[in-house]
Structure formats: structure tokens, C-alpha cells
Amino acid sequence: MNKTLKENYIIRIKSRIEQDGETEQVELMTRGSFALRGGSYYITYRETETTGYEGNVTTLKIAADSSRVAMLRFGPQASQLVIEKGRRNLCHYETGYGSVTLGVTADGIQCGLSPKGGTARFSYLLDGDVSTVISKNSLEVTVTHVN
């Protein structure tokens, strides 16, 4: 993990969760780091009390070719979600009640990032097993450099 997190970017995340006929939308704006390494963009930020994951650090690894997104949360509520086009992945997720394994299937991935920032959008389905969709989730992440 980064020894010191250079928080020289504004990270704006708009999330939408559709579950049991209900839709919840959340918008978060925070400072974080942003880098292009090995064909993927890395967006890293500290979670806050607002998100319910205070004490955790989250990294989004978004493939520049829009093929894959990894959402990695480090800390007390660690999780790892891998979203890939054309593939269902089993992913580990920590909850306040223990850990759970969920199926994750990409609905769409669009990487509009450049080394200077930009916007990425992705959506995915979470399931308890192949036939039981738990929720449809979508995120829009905008990265802006701060002088």
C-alpha cells in the first residue's frame, strides 16, 4: 500500500444501486491520487464516515481499453470486486456481519480517462447465485487534477 497518499486530485463518484424495486443514489466528492500504470488507471482515495467505510482505502483499477475494472478496498471492511466484460467473477466482500462471496457480471464499462483525468463509467450485476440477481449497480467516476 502507498506509504503516503498524494491527494492531488478531486475524485467525484456518483453511484446508483437498484435493488428490490428501490433505487438509491449517492454522490461522493473527495481528494485522492490518480496514475496510469501498465495500461490501467489507478484511482485511490480514503473512505469516510459518509460512505460507511471509514478507516478503509479504496483503489479503482480501470483498464484503459475498457475491458476490466477492479474495485479493491483495504482495511476493516476489505473487499475485491472484479468486473470484466463477457465474464462472471466470484468476488469476496466483507460486511458488518461477516464475509460473503458474490457473483459479479459487467453490464458495461467505458473508460474515458486520460493521463490528465476524465470520466469512467461502469455498471454491473451482483448475484447470490447465477439465477438470483441481488442488485444492479452503476458508477460514474470523474477525476480532476488540483493545482
Side-chain angles (χ1 to χ4, degrees):
M1 196 63 234
N2 299 358
K3 291 179 185 82
T4 56
L5 186 59
K6 285 190 178 180
E7 298 178 327
N8 52 354
Y9 287 85
I10 295 292
I11 314 296
R12 175 175 279 157
I13 301 168
K14 295 179 183 177
S15 72
R16 178 183 171 108
I17 301 170
E18 297 174 35
Q19 184 175 21
D20 298 328
E22 302 281 319
T23 300
E24 179 183 349
Q25 296 187 78
V26 177
E27 189 168 335
L28 167 71
M29 187 165 35
T30 188
R31 293 179 78 102
S33 68
F34 176 68
L36 172 61
R37 290 192 303 268
S40 291
Y41 291 97
Y42 290 79
I43 301 167
T44 302
Y45 59 94
R46 298 174 201 280
E47 295 283 356
T48 65
E49 188 179 342
T50 307
T51 64
Y53 297 106
E54 186 175 22
N56 293 276
V57 174
T58 296
T59 296
L60 299 173
K61 179 182 175 186
I62 303 170
D65 67 1
S66 299
S67 63
R68 183 176 198 264
V69 174
M71 295 173 44
L72 310 167
R73 184 176 296 126
F74 303 94
Q77 289 103 7
S79 66
Q80 179 177 335
L81 296 180
V82 178
I83 304 157
E84 286 182 281
K85 285 187 174 174
R87 185 170 181 184
R88 178 179 177 264
N89 288 301
L90 293 178
C91 298
H92 173 78
Y93 203 84
E94 279 296 327
T95 71
Y97 306 101
S99 61
V100 65
T101 299
L102 298 172
V104 182
T105 307
D107 202 29
I109 302 172
Q110 296 175 313
C111 181
L113 297 170
S114 76
K116 295 181 179 184
T119 300
R121 293 175 183 85
F122 55 97
S123 57
Y124 57 96
L125 302 174
L126 286 179
D127 66 73
D129 61 51
V130 178
S131 62
T132 310
V133 172
I134 296 170
S135 64
K136 179 178 179 177
N137 306 271
S138 59
L139 277 89
E140 179 181 285
V141 183
T142 303
V143 178
T144 309
H145 188 262
V146 179
N147 293 340

